[in-house]
Amino acid sequence: VLCIDLGGTNLRYGIINRRGELKNFSILTLSNDDKSEQSIIKILWEIIRAGKADVDSIGIAIPGFIYFDKDVVVSSPNFPDWRNFRIRKILMEKVQLPVLVENDANAFAIGEAWKGAGKEFKNFVGITLGTGVGGGIILNRKIWHGSRGSAGEIGHITVEPEGVKCNCGARGCLEMFASAQAVIREAKRAFKNMIKGYKKDEISKKIFEMAKAGDEDAKRIFEDVGYYIGIAIADIANLLNIEGVVIGGGLSNAWEFIYPAIKREASYRINPVSRTGLKILRAKLGDYAGLYGMAVLGLQLFKEC
Ligand SMILES: [Zn+2]
């Protein structure tokens, strides 16, 4: 399977076989000019043209809301120009091979279920902590899409009813408290002068270093992230009684600071039956999880996984 993970900044791709071996892995950095529907098709088509002779299918993980019934990507916060983008149909007509698309957080959960921390669970939820917060629900070892395709949008669970306004239009979504955006916002509030001139992606790293060096305010920023994730996990566990939660994405690197708060909040709020044996684990596949998830979907077409 030619697997492509289309992120807001980086596009990762490679070929994965049924044994789970990843070959020809590459990363492309996308500029803002690359983000229109036309440019993305052009970029993807070049990658596909170069790799198609060696594969049976193509899988693309996408950070957006996918309406499965209509086979369109309705919109994507990382690609603001997209509107009802028929990415799958357009590529399939060009390539004459099966093309699969999946939400990137779902692909993450599927990948972790196959080769990562989700291997041991029949039912679990995957959570990605990046620029935004994504989620994927695995029930009976299969992704749960919901009625139309957008189940698992954990980032938009309400954790503060009157809290900060979210990009989705609502208020107090988890994404506003447990993403890199949240860390940057709180860092600007707490360390205004110290982080002046820092680029966005440098701020989280700087705060992490400060926390490691023992700075209480820096630690507090990550602990707050953990607090809100713990609340969301409690809601999920009370609803679904899953066996596990697998947490990945860039912000999970601050595990030592976020995990204690996650655990405290989750165990305090989850009912005693759902709490029993619930494991909250760090993801194992790093930046490759989405690629592995798309490999599973491609291989399933041929009953090889
Ligand atoms: Zn929201």
Side-chain angles (χ1 to χ4, degrees), residues 50 55 62 80 99 142 144 184 203 216 229 245 250 267 281 291 301:
V55 298
I62 293 172
V99 177
K142 283 206 164 72
W144 172 254
I184 291 165
I203 295 175
E216 291 300 325
I229 296 168
V245 178
S267 41
L281 304 177
L291 296 179
L301 284 180

Side-chain angles (χ1 to χ4, degrees), residues 155-156 166-170 173 175:
H156 303 285
C166 179
N167 306 323
C168 77
C173 297
E175 183 159 299

Side-chain angles (χ1 to χ4, degrees), residues 5-11 29-32 35 63 78-79 104 131:
D5 193 348
L6 185 54
T9 316
N10 294 311
L11 184 158
T29 301
L30 300 174
S31 70
N32 279 337
K35 292 190 173 180
N78 293 299
F79 298 89
D104 60 345
T131 311

Side-chain angles (χ1 to χ4, degrees), residues 71-214:
D71 203 10
V72 295
V73 180
V74 175
S75 63
S76 168
N78 293 299
F79 298 89
D81 296 340
W82 294 10
R83 283 291 170 276
N84 297 323
F85 187 14
R86 308 192 78 91
I87 185 167
R88 177 166 175 266
K89 190 165 174 269
I90 295 167
L91 289 171
M92 227 152 101
E93 278 167 4
K94 279 170 160 294
V95 75
Q96 316 277 309
L97 280 176
V99 177
L100 297 157
V101 296
E102 179 58 274
N103 168 271
D104 60 345
N106 285 353
F108 159 85
I110 298 167
E112 287 288 332
W114 185 33
K115 292 282 179 193
K119 237 157 86 171
E120 61 181 285
F121 304 128
K122 202 171 149 203
N123 305 304
F124 76 96
V125 165
I127 303 178
T128 57
L129 308 175
T131 311
V133 174
I137 303 168
I138 304 282
L139 298 178
N140 282 320
R141 305 283 301 161
K142 283 206 164 72
I143 192 77
W144 172 254
H145 278 128
S147 299
R148 299 281 182 259
S150 76
E153 287 294 338
I154 290 161
H156 303 285
I157 285 179
T158 302
V159 290
E160 284 286 359
E162 302 304 326
V164 183
K165 193 152 188 206
C166 179
N167 306 323
C168 77
R171 276 191 181 280
C173 297
L174 178 65
E175 183 159 299
M176 290 298 105
F177 297 93
S179 61
Q181 293 173 65
V183 170
I184 291 165
R185 185 189 66 230
E186 293 308 312
K188 282 181 176 164
R189 189 176 294 171
F191 306 107
K192 222 185 276 166
N193 297 320
M194 209 182 307
I195 56 166
K196 236 181 201 163
Y198 277 73
K199 282 190 196 148
K200 270 187 180 175
D201 52 332
E202 293 167 347
I203 295 175
S204 303
K205 276 181 203 153
K206 171 76 181 161
I207 302 303
F208 181 51
E209 280 163 21
M210 287 168 66
K212 279 200 126 174

Side-chain angles (χ1 to χ4, degrees), residues 12 25 42 44-45 57 63 105 109 116 132 174 179 181 194 217 241 250 267 274 276 284 286:
R12 299 178 170 82
F25 175 74
K42 217 171 129 194
L44 291 175
W45 175 236
S57 65
L174 178 65
S179 61
Q181 293 173 65
M194 209 182 307
D217 292 331
N241 184 198
S267 41
S274 294
T276 306
K284 281 192 184 150

